[in-house]
Amino acid sequence: MVQVSGAPPRLFTFAGGDSGDWRIVAMTAVAGEPLPDASRLAMIAGAAGAERAKWRLRGITSNERYVTRGEKSELVAKQQDLGRPDSTCAALIPIRKTAAWWALAQDERRRIFEESSKHVRIGLKYLPAVARRLHHCRDLGEGELFDFLTWFEYGPSDAAAFDALVAELRASEEWRYVGREIDIRVIRAEG
Ligand code: HEM
């Protein structure tokens, strides 16, 4: 892959297997088919590596589709970067949306995403405790199992708040368009 020197990586691989910096403590198929069991998760910048993994999921960061200027300013003011030393807990939640979602027009999706489901309004309540990165998979090719790989990092004292956040989102109209979702919880491995 050609990378502009100095630019942060955009393509990430999440690999489940027996190696990686994160220990898998729970893996729940919230909707659709589960993924094979694994004990460790590796997050790798780029496409290569983890040849012996049981599964590998790729996603790329992208421009935002839905946020307004006002929402973006609020997010930028509150959010923190990944990699905070105290954030020893994390969640990888791969999500596939249904054909009905992708058949909608952009303005219809925005209405469901925010005016009805309040995704950003809800999410903002949990910043800066939760740090996040959204990866898109759809435009990488036809073999991708998911549309999005969502990644969140937080401290142990915010684990219950994170559960409340996912419960709020899963009760929303947006989630009626989620066809497959795996909730993978990890903690940073000690050496
Ligand atoms: C930590 C609080 C959260 C905040 C602040 C937040 C914020 C956002 C924002 C701003 C976007 C839209 C980006 C765009 O304009 O394209 C987005 C998209 C998304 N978020 Fe969240 N989010 C949060 C938590 C979550 C959680 C817990 C999940 C999964 C359970 C999740 C799943 C998604 C998905 C799948 C998308 C892509 C939606 C689509 O493009 O159809 N988010 N989030």
Side-chain angles (χ1 to χ4, degrees):
M1 189 176 86
V2 179
Q3 189 109 92
V4 180
S5 156
R10 291 183 53 210
L11 179 67
F12 290 87
T13 303
F14 291 88
D18 56 14
S19 65
D21 289 344
W22 299 90
R23 190 156 63 79
I24 297 177
V25 291
M27 192 146 90
T28 311
V30 180
E33 286 290 296
L35 283 171
D37 276 339
S39 58
R40 292 286 188 119
L41 176 72
M43 174 169 48
I44 303 149
E51 279 74 19
R52 288 175 31 249
K54 293 202 180 147
W55 44 263
R56 280 194 287 174
L57 305 173
R58 298 181 310 153
I60 190 156
T61 59
S62 186
N63 57 288
E64 284 150 348
R65 268 68 163 169
Y66 299 112
V67 288
T68 61
R69 164 49 57 197
E71 288 160 358
K72 190 178 172 87
S73 302
E74 282 187 75
L75 287 161
V76 168
K78 276 190 96 179
Q79 71 200 4
Q80 291 184 355
D81 289 341
L82 299 178
R84 296 171 297 184
D86 292 350
S87 290
T88 54
C89 301
L92 171 66
I93 307 184
I95 287 180
R96 189 175 180 95
K97 285 190 167 174
T98 59
W101 173 262
W102 294 110
L104 294 171
Q106 186 68 15
D107 59 335
E108 296 171 307
R109 288 199 290 263
R110 160 72 200 186
R111 187 199 65 72
I112 295 165
F113 175 83
E114 193 59 29
E115 275 67 41
S116 164
S117 304
K118 311 220 171 341
H119 189 123
V120 181
R121 191 57 40 219
I122 292 169
L124 275 165
K125 292 191 290 181
Y126 297 88
L127 304 188
V130 180
R132 49 180 272 277
R133 190 168 62 215
L134 175 65
H135 312 78
H136 294 250
C137 320
R138 261 174 90 76
D139 293 341
L140 290 175
E142 271 140 46
E144 305 305 321
L145 299 175
F146 297 92
D147 295 330
F148 306 99
L149 307 178
T150 66
W151 173 254
F152 308 93
E153 294 178 2
Y154 47 91
S157 59
D158 292 308
F162 186 75
D163 286 340
L165 163 63
V166 294
E168 266 193 88
L169 289 175
R170 284 179 187 144
S172 71
E173 185 184 0
E174 184 191 354
W175 250 252
R176 289 190 216 153
Y177 297 88
V178 171
R180 190 174 183 199
E181 177 178 7
I182 319 287
D183 189 325
I184 304 163
R185 302 297 175 95
V186 298
I187 55 174
R188 199 180 287 135
E190 308 277 323

